[in-house]
Amino acid sequence: MSERLKDKVALITGAAQGLGKEMARSMISEGAEVFISDINQDQLDETVTELSCSGISLDVTKSEDWEKAVAHIKDKSGSLNILVNNAGIGNGGDIESTDMDTWRLVHNVNLDSVFLGCKYSLPLMRDSGNGSIINISSMSGIVASHNTSAYNSSKAAVRHLSKSIALHCAKSTNLVRCNSIHPVFTRTAMVQSMIDAAPERDIEQKLIQQIPIRKLAEPIDIANAAIFLASDESSFITGTELLIDGGLSAT
Ligand code: NAI
């Protein structure tokens, strides 16, 4: 264990599984005190036990949940240095097949959550003396596809919102940074469900073919980037976007 995040307190949303869980595991091994949160209570309890960390029930779409979560962390740890807005949902559907309820749901979970998380966490992060907000967007927020209109839109908005927050923080106190991470297809339940939905179409190979280095990303690839942005090694980096795409954006 090294200690790149020693003395830092982190909150990661949607961390009962997938990328959030891997980021939690990595941050713990770098010395951070980590609070993981999720809407899926059973899975959250399992992961809390597995990682020996603290768990918070937090529906990222609810203001009152955010207020309670931040108050809980303040009470237990006194500070908050790292916020990872990771919770999100995938969605397939082009502009004509996406109904208004789906559009709203995807933006509520993927985008409104980032607004709420940053809004309610910032006062404690600022009082903590330093902070790094990491918003998990997607390559889909940079490169669009015809059949994920709501997802594309929500993730592109997360990219721009992150820059606005970074500028606000730089202007107001210069103590908190904010950046976005843009992973390409990564081997988690979200992608596995896409692959499993149509075995006859060999979706895994189709995804891999789009990535120049010819493999899916693994959760640890994203966690390694999050550690860098959370640590003081990136102290001059704010308002930027980190693409983890195996070269896709270079094509
Ligand atoms: P996942 O589906 O494995 O995990 C997402 C977690 O978020 C789940 O534990 C779920 O219970 C939780 N969640 C959903 N709605 C919530 C809510 N309202 N409040 C709190 N928690 C909620 O997904 P995965 O793959 O780990 O994705 C994590 C993030 O990374 C998402 O924002 C996703 O859009 C993004 N991403 C994932 C990629 C991938 O290929 N897996 C690629 C690019 C971005």
Side-chain angles (χ1 to χ4, degrees):
M1 164 170 156
S2 58
E3 299 207 314
R4 293 158 78 200
L5 302 182
K6 187 169 175 278
D7 298 330
K8 292 191 190 291
V9 180
L11 169 62
I12 309 174
T13 67
Q17 63 179 40
L19 300 188
K21 180 177 175 181
E22 193 62 34
M23 287 188 274
R25 194 198 310 278
S26 295
M27 288 190 184
I28 290 165
S29 76
E30 291 292 347
E33 178 185 356
V34 174
F35 290 82
I36 63 171
S37 64
D38 208 282
I39 200 176
N40 180 340
Q41 190 64 50
D42 290 346
Q43 190 67 44
L44 179 66
D45 291 344
E46 237 177 72
T47 302
V48 161
T49 306
E50 186 185 327
L51 301 184
S52 298
C53 61
S54 305
I56 302 178
S57 296
L58 165 61
D59 179 340
V60 290
T61 67
K62 296 199 168 130
S63 308
E64 59 274 21
D65 280 17
W66 274 108
E67 285 179 292
K68 276 191 218 147
V70 173
H72 177 76
I73 293 169
K74 186 175 182 181
D75 184 45
K76 294 284 170 202
S77 301
S79 58
L80 177 63
N81 312 99
I82 301 163
L83 168 66
V84 186
N85 284 306
N86 165 74
I89 52 173
N91 178 256
D94 60 36
I95 182 69
E96 291 185 85
S97 63
T98 301
D99 60 36
M100 200 62 206
D101 287 348
T102 305
W103 175 266
R104 288 204 175 107
L105 174 68
V106 171
H107 284 81
N108 196 12
V109 179
N110 292 355
L111 174 61
D112 299 354
S113 61
V114 177
F115 163 74
L116 291 173
C118 295
K119 181 178 174 59
Y120 287 107
S121 302
L122 257 175
L124 179 56
M125 295 184 83
R126 200 181 292 123
D127 288 351
S128 304
N130 67 77
S132 174
I133 297 172
I134 301 168
N135 294 328
I136 307 299
S137 175
S138 169
M139 270 311 290
S140 301
I142 309 260
V143 178
S145 55
H146 71 281
N147 58 355
T148 48
S149 54
Y151 189 75
N152 285 161
S153 165
S154 67
K155 291 298 187 179
V158 167
R159 171 182 173 273
H160 217 62
L161 175 60
S162 303
K163 293 178 192 297
S164 174
I165 293 164
L167 293 176
H168 164 72
C169 293
K171 191 173 166 69
S172 50
T173 64
N174 228 6
L175 295 172
V176 181
R177 299 178 292 111
C178 179
N179 296 287
S180 56
I181 287 183
H182 300 258
V184 77
F185 314 114
T186 310
R187 208 177 283 282
T188 67
M190 186 182 276
V191 162
Q192 196 59 48
S193 65
M194 274 165 63
I195 293 170
D196 293 345
E200 72 289 353
R201 290 176 50 210
D202 202 357
I203 288 177
E204 183 166 353
Q205 273 316 308
K206 290 198 172 103
L207 297 181
I208 289 172
Q209 275 163 18
Q210 298 174 49
I211 304 173
I213 64 173
R214 291 280 183 269
K215 56 183 180 179
L216 298 182
E218 297 295 333
I220 189 68
D221 297 319
I222 318 308
N224 286 337
I227 294 287
F228 170 66
L229 286 178
S231 76
D232 296 338
E233 293 159 23
S234 59
S235 59
F236 205 68
I237 299 179
T238 195
T240 194
E241 57 214 45
L242 182 45
L243 277 54
I244 308 174
D245 69 349
L248 189 148
S249 57
T251 58

